[in-house]
Amino acid sequence: MKKLRFLPIFVIAATIFSCSSDDDAPTTPPTGGPTLDGIIATQDDDDLIVADLKGNVTGNITLAASEDWVLTGPLTVKSGSTLTIEAGTTIKAKAGVTDVYLAVEQGAKIEAEGTASAPIKFTSNASNPRPGDWGGIVIAGKTPTNKGATAESEVAGLNYGGTDATDNSGTLTYVIAEYTGAKINGDQEFNGISLYTVGTGTTINNIAVFNGADDGIEFFGGTVSVENILCVNIKDDMFDFTEGYNGTLTNLFGVRESDFNDGTEDPRGIEGDSNGSNNAATPVSKPTFEKVTVLNLSKITALKAGAEIRRGTEAVINNLFFGTLNGASFGNRIDTKDDKGNGTITITNAVYQGVVGVDNLGGTITGTFTEDTAAITVGADDVVTVKAGVGADFSKFAWTNYTVKK
């Protein structure tokens, strides 16, 4: 009779593991293998770890939607490299650490192409997530800034600035960023998305920032135009620009919900600067906004202004709506006066409803607001709707599944 032979269990295990794909990123740091060096050069690099995502990307790397990525430190895409993030990917950031962020250097690219049915999501890994749990997304390009030939970013230490207005930093579309805004110190704090001199060759649209501890999205110079931006419960400014930003921003919807009880000392819907040290420094910030809605539904915290346009800025806003409910308020609708230099703004089709302050005429404001007491309606389940054609088109954000409630 033949005797059955049983292989030791460690031999079986070794055989099974040896059959796994070399292309799969490890879920935990390797043991007994090569020493990790913090550089992700190839798709099968030992440093590309699903549960410990961080390091310098020096090759063309893809983050697959099938993996449960956890961002645990700085992930920096180096010049000449491309980080691709598949549609439907979720990246959870380690909470409570100030150096957890995604950065894209000058000369590098991010290709984060989500879809309406499969957006890309950056969020916190905390069981009880809060604003400021992690940094955010920082991208640097090569267009001019009025801070000089080149400059260094407030966070992530990226060089930015240059002469190429058509610079291409890749694609960011159908992307959600939540619980961003980690604070390093009193002068350094991440925004949800920070764009440093990003050029027109870059494609950015369909962006949502929820529960940010600083600004929702900020442009530091740059020429990139962006369409469809949703900012919800942002502690500081919803939409911010400075340092000579020249682009067109279309369909912006910002809201503070009724139970929102947090905020900085001077939050605004839009904050626009050019250069506080030299208002004539070029390029001067001259953005155009098309279709903007800013709602404050919280009677606990007021917005200092619907828009503050200052320090040499020249802005145009077409189709603007400021609205309030629940006894909420704005300090001013538009403020153009500042001790470091006034601003200039032209508004057309500007509408307001509720208590939204007055216009501060310290600088130059061309155009006036019209009151429409029926611009906001509250329907079933306290769903808030803004009249069609007034301000932003909220239907463009259906992909987020977000609903404004009274």
Side-chain angles (χ1 to χ4, degrees):
M1 182 175 69
K2 291 183 179 180
K3 293 183 180 180
L4 298 178
R5 297 179 63 195
F6 294 90
L7 292 174
I9 191 168
F10 69 86
V11 175
I12 297 174
T15 302
I16 292 173
F17 290 136
S18 69
C19 295
S20 62
S21 172
D22 290 337
D23 294 332
D24 293 339
T27 58
T28 58
T31 59
T35 302
L36 301 180
D37 58 8
I39 297 174
I40 305 172
T42 62
Q43 194 66 37
D44 60 356
D45 198 305
D46 287 334
D47 283 88
L48 183 59
I49 302 168
V50 172
D52 190 18
L53 181 62
K54 62 185 178 184
N56 292 326
V57 174
T58 62
N60 296 328
I61 303 300
T62 297
L63 302 185
S66 58
E67 301 285 9
D68 296 321
W69 300 98
V70 180
L71 184 67
T72 58
L75 182 66
T76 302
V77 188
K78 307 297 284 185
S79 180
S81 304
T82 299
L83 176 69
T84 299
I85 305 177
E86 291 184 348
T89 300
T90 295
I91 300 172
K92 295 182 179 180
K94 182 179 179 181
V97 184
T98 60
D99 65 346
V100 176
Y101 56 85
L102 170 61
V104 181
E105 286 187 349
Q106 289 181 311
K109 288 184 179 180
I110 180 171
E111 295 295 345
E113 296 188 50
T115 66
S117 59
I120 294 167
K121 187 173 185 178
F122 293 82
T123 189
S124 167
N125 75 341
S127 56
N128 182 26
R130 299 175 60 84
D133 270 355
W134 66 290
I137 301 169
V138 186
I139 303 176
K142 298 180 181 180
T143 79
T145 170
N146 61 30
K147 286 293 186 180
T150 59
E152 183 176 306
S153 61
E154 175 184 326
V155 293
L158 303 184
N159 292 327
Y160 67 97
T163 60
D164 185 2
T166 64
D167 188 41
N168 183 358
S169 296
T171 304
L172 207 66
T173 184
Y174 290 103
V175 172
I176 297 171
E178 299 179 325
Y179 308 109
T180 57
K183 188 172 184 177
I184 299 172
N185 56 46
D187 298 319
Q188 294 177 292
E189 191 168 8
F190 286 89
N191 303 304
I193 299 175
S194 300
L195 303 174
Y196 287 88
T197 57
V198 173
T200 57
T202 310
T203 300
I204 303 179
N205 56 55
N206 298 297
I207 301 296
V209 181
F210 293 95
N211 303 302
D214 195 43
D215 299 334
I217 184 169
E218 184 166 4
F219 300 80
F220 297 83
T223 55
V224 65
S225 293
V226 181
E227 186 173 5
N228 301 331
I229 310 174
L230 173 66
C231 287
V232 179
N233 288 347
I234 305 301
K235 290 177 66 172
D236 199 35
D237 308 316
M238 298 171 181
F239 315 103
D240 199 344
F241 64 88
T242 185
E243 296 186 18
Y245 173 64
N246 281 263
T248 299
L249 302 177
T250 303
N251 208 55
L252 279 56
F253 195 105
V255 57
R256 286 178 149 199
E257 296 175 331
S258 58
D259 58 353
F260 183 75
N261 63 358
D262 206 350
T264 62
E265 294 181 356
D266 52 1
R268 305 168 178 95
I270 298 171
E271 181 180 274
D273 296 338
S274 190
N275 187 311
S277 299
N278 177 8
N279 291 177
T282 58
V284 173
S285 292
K286 295 183 179 181
T288 297
F289 292 79
E290 301 283 353
K291 299 190 293 187
V292 178
T293 291
V294 176
L295 301 180
N296 184 27
L297 307 183
S298 170
K299 61 183 179 182
I300 304 170
T301 59
L303 281 172
K304 184 177 181 181
E308 183 145 345
I309 305 300
R310 60 188 186 178
R311 301 176 183 175
T313 299
E314 302 172 21
V316 174
I317 306 180
N318 300 315
N319 200 349
L320 171 64
F321 176 64
F322 293 153
T324 65
L325 290 174
N326 311 317
S329 64
F330 288 44
N332 293 307
R333 279 187 289 256
I334 294 178
D335 190 349
T336 54
K337 184 178 181 179
D338 188 83
D339 58 5
K340 294 184 178 180
N342 296 337
T344 300
I345 185 169
T346 299
I347 56 174
T348 59
N349 299 321
V351 177
Y352 76 93
Q353 176 181 337
V355 182
V356 290
V358 297
D359 299 335
N360 184 327
L361 298 175
T364 302
I365 300 177
T366 301
T368 58
F369 278 87
T370 301
E371 183 178 14
D372 185 344
T373 58
I376 301 176
T377 57
V378 181
D381 298 324
D382 289 334
V383 174
V384 173
T385 302
V386 178
K387 183 187 296 185
V390 176
D393 179 358
F394 186 72
S395 70
K396 298 294 186 180
F397 305 106
W399 61 275
T400 67
N401 295 316
Y402 175 73
T403 302
V404 182
K405 293 292 188 72
K406 178 181 176 180

